[in-house]
Amino acid sequence: MKQIGVGILGFGTVGAGVADGLLKHRELMAQRYGVDVVLRKIADLDVTTDRGVAVPADVLTTDAAATIADPAIDVVVETIGGTGVARKFVLDALNAKKSVVTANKKLLAEHGREIFDTAAANGVDVYFGAAVGGGIPVIRVLREAMAANEINTIHGILNGTCNYILTRMENEGKPFDEVLADAQKLGYAEANPSLDVDGFDTAHKACILTALAYGFQPTLEQVQVEGIRDLSGLDVKYAADFGCRIKLLAVVAKDGDEVEVGVHPTLVPFSHMLASVNGVFNAAMFNGDMSENTMYYGRGAGRLPTASTVVADVCDIARNLAHGEVRYARAAPVYNEGKVKLRAAGDIVSRFYLRFEVADKAGSLGLMTTALGNAGVNISAATQKDRAEGVATVVMLTDPAKASAVDAAFAAIEAAGVLAEKPVKLRML
């Protein structure tokens, strides 16, 4: 049976999980794939700390460059993270004609074109199934299962930290800051949670999904990103009153030659399948012209779920190499540049949830509805929620409207001086 050697760069949480999977299931993978996948090296600056994995001593090294250059290694797994040394090592491995497996969404979102072009030039592959959705086969769905579909829309709950926070805000009525502190204590949120709660982790994943679905990759700076840091518990409560719960959604959708890409806190109806995705779990829903709606659900992060997908990618490459094949190198995700373009944020059409804290005096409500009507925004529902100390809370739902029209109405309402605080605008699914 042909042997395929694997080298892992990085021995942190995910790297240790990958090592554990390769060692524990070596025989099982050989039976299923007809190839012997052998872990030959793990390179990390720290090779003394116990990671809970029994690794032969001769496998551990501090020399990543030697690991990449080792002729006994056919596949390099990058689990370092970030875009610094990880980018260098990935490019070095590809130029050494080694296929690469990575879960590094930031690297792919910011340097994907360079990496895929380098892989193609060297006739090797880059697999990145765990970069979006962790243990969920989101990438594999787009690359394989829906290969014959025109993708109409993608809606994803792709950050477990945010989903955990939103779930507890709804279920327990606690404010964002309190739930975030709990999430940090439990290890669900980083000490600096900005990448997660401000939406950028989800945005990196949205960029990757856009490249796979539509053949061009926007930069992070081009994507409209709204996180959940400023989300009020009031809006979580009022959304429930309208039969919705708030989720941080990645939205990727195509209309003609324009593609919408964004990350937003979004009201999702209780009846929608995505509304049932709670806690740290992730899900992605795809709508294809042939498949219609399909949804994929599971753990989007963590040592073993992420390692499960990484090891599956290693097995696919090993099987291909055993048969002298390269599957993806000449089918890089970026193939449609110049043919489709990113839709401007103001041109995106959605239903909206609007909340106003209004001066409780005659004519205020009429002024607001007039401003919305003048901007072309039709109100489908409206209710007054609370009244206290001369201020009334008014919540409205709109029919589909351009984001720029809602913004124009907001500007007119704020200029009229009838608001006690900045109005709230949330998208609706």
Side-chain angles (χ1 to χ4, degrees):
M1 184 179 292
K2 185 174 179 61
Q3 286 193 339
I4 298 297
V6 179
I8 300 173
L9 308 182
F11 200 29
T13 300
V14 175
V18 173
D20 191 27
L22 289 172
L23 293 168
K24 184 183 297 182
H25 298 303
R26 179 177 173 182
E27 183 178 348
L28 175 64
M29 293 184 293
Q31 292 169 343
R32 288 178 173 172
Y33 284 83
V35 58
D36 185 17
V37 181
V38 184
L39 176 58
R40 300 204 186 277
K41 290 293 179 184
I42 302 172
D44 195 281
L45 293 176
D46 173 12
V47 295
T48 60
T49 300
D50 182 12
R51 270 76 166 193
V53 184
V55 177
D58 62 346
V59 168
L60 294 170
T61 178
T62 58
D63 195 338
T67 299
I68 293 169
D70 188 338
I73 289 176
D74 307 287
V75 182
V76 173
V77 178
E78 181 273 310
T79 67
I80 299 168
T83 57
V85 70
R87 171 175 168 267
K88 177 186 184 305
F89 287 157
V90 165
L91 292 173
D92 287 348
L94 295 172
N95 284 319
K97 302 193 181 303
K98 311 290 178 75
S99 287
V100 167
V101 177
T102 180
N104 192 335
K105 64 266 183 182
K106 181 176 174 65
L107 178 65
L108 293 172
E110 297 182 11
H111 300 284
R113 182 60 179 268
E114 176 187 29
I115 288 167
F116 295 123
D117 284 351
T118 302
N122 287 282
V124 291
D125 269 328
V126 179
Y127 277 57
F128 50 96
V132 180
I136 314 170
V138 173
I139 298 298
R140 198 172 292 261
V141 167
L142 282 176
R143 275 188 152 183
E144 299 175 18
M146 299 188 73
N149 279 255
E150 287 284 348
I151 307 299
N152 298 317
T153 59
I154 302 171
H155 294 96
I157 297 171
L158 301 176
N159 186 275
T161 299
C162 290
N163 206 43
Y164 171 84
I165 291 171
L166 292 171
T167 299
R168 287 195 56 193
M169 287 178 70
E170 179 187 356
N171 291 344
E172 302 172 30
K174 292 183 175 181
F176 170 84
D177 289 339
E178 184 177 337
V179 180
L180 172 60
D182 286 347
Q184 289 170 319
K185 291 175 186 175
L186 293 168
Y188 294 145
E190 301 289 343
N192 179 357
S194 179
L195 190 67
D196 294 320
V197 301
D198 293 327
F200 296 111
D201 173 79
T202 301
H204 283 134
K205 296 167 184 176
C207 290
I208 294 169
L209 294 177
T210 302
L212 289 171
Y214 302 120
F216 89 106
Q217 184 163 316
T219 65
L220 188 65
E221 292 73 22
Q222 293 174 302
V223 177
Q224 187 178 17
V225 183
E226 300 173 79
I228 65 169
R229 187 187 296 272
D230 297 324
L231 186 68
S232 169
L234 278 179
D235 296 311
V236 174
K237 177 178 179 293
Y238 295 155
D241 292 343
F242 284 107
C244 298
R245 56 177 46 101
I246 297 176
K247 299 293 184 183
L248 184 70
L249 287 191
V251 179
V252 181
K254 189 170 184 288
D255 184 8
D257 64 349
E258 291 187 333
V259 174
E260 169 191 349
V261 186
V263 176
H264 314 280
T266 304
L267 274 72
V268 180
F270 290 154
S271 59
H272 196 285
M273 286 192 291
L274 286 172
S276 65
V277 180
N278 294 313
V280 297
F281 284 84
N282 284 196
M285 176 173 281
F286 301 92
N287 181 277
D289 66 336
M290 297 173 70
S291 66
E292 299 185 354
N293 283 329
T294 59
M295 192 175 92
Y296 306 85
Y297 166 90
R299 292 192 178 274
R303 171 170 158 162
L304 293 181
T306 304
S308 171
T309 302
V310 171
V311 173
D313 282 350
V314 171
C315 287
D316 264 7
I317 293 177
R319 180 178 56 187
N320 294 342
L321 292 174
H323 293 88
E325 298 174 354
V326 174
R327 178 179 269 182
Y328 292 127
R330 290 173 182 82
V334 181
Y335 57 85
N336 229 356
E337 286 185 341
K339 298 178 184 178
V340 294
K341 60 184 179 180
L342 197 65
R343 173 162 288 182
D347 291 338
I348 291 172
V349 175
S350 173
R351 295 177 65 216
F352 290 93
Y353 160 101
L354 311 176
R355 176 167 62 85
F356 303 95
E357 302 299 323
V358 189
D360 193 5
K361 59 184 180 181
S364 294
L365 185 58
L367 187 151
M368 289 166 47
T369 56
T370 298
L372 287 162
N374 289 342
V377 180
N378 190 52
I379 301 164
S380 62
T383 182
Q384 180 175 304
K385 305 300 293 186
D386 297 292
R387 177 183 294 179
E389 298 181 1
V391 176
T393 300
V394 177
V395 177
M396 300 179 181
L397 306 184
T398 76
D399 287 335
K402 279 190 174 183
S404 58
V406 178
D407 290 341
F410 272 20
I413 294 167
E414 290 182 271
V418 298
L419 299 182
E421 60 182 62
K422 190 174 179 62
V424 172
K425 175 184 72 175
L426 298 174
R427 295 174 188 267
M428 301 182 67
L429 186 61

